[in-house]
Amino acid sequence: MMNLLSFAKGALAMFWLVALLNLFYPFATPLGGWVNWAALLVLLAHVGELLLFRTRLQGLPGQWWQRLQVLLFGMLHLQHLR
């Protein structure tokens, strides 16, 4: 299970890297637009998860680091906190 979780986090990190690259060097139409919309939807979902699980994150060491990881990885990071 941990290997699958690590793989999924790596894939999501690559997605964020592609989305960031698309901001500085926009991809051709329509791919660039699709990447931007997908990144926005994923970011909104992760903000929702951050708000929904904020009590679980309180009191953890490195609280801001934990919140940043939830913004980047969402439920994949929250699974790690069990």
Side-chain angles (χ1 to χ4, degrees):
M1 180 65 173
M2 194 58 154
N3 287 338
L4 182 61
L5 193 61
S6 295
F7 175 78
K9 280 181 116 173
L12 196 52
M14 291 301 292
F15 167 76
W16 285 121
L17 189 62
V18 167
L20 190 62
L21 182 66
N22 186 44
L23 288 177
F24 293 108
Y25 301 101
F27 300 150
T29 307
L31 180 63
W34 283 105
V35 170
N36 286 339
W37 280 108
L40 179 63
L41 289 174
V42 171
L43 183 63
L44 287 175
H46 290 180
V47 167
E49 292 166 353
L50 187 62
L51 293 173
L52 190 63
F53 294 102
R54 68 177 172 246
T55 56
R56 183 191 257 188
L57 296 169
Q58 288 177 349
L60 290 176
Q63 188 174 2
W64 288 104
W65 176 245
Q66 301 293 337
R67 288 180 179 185
L68 177 63
Q69 288 202 44
V70 171
L71 279 177
L72 292 175
F73 303 115
M75 287 301 281
L76 296 173
H77 182 66
L78 290 169
Q79 289 289 325
H80 174 71
L81 295 179
R82 278 188 183 188

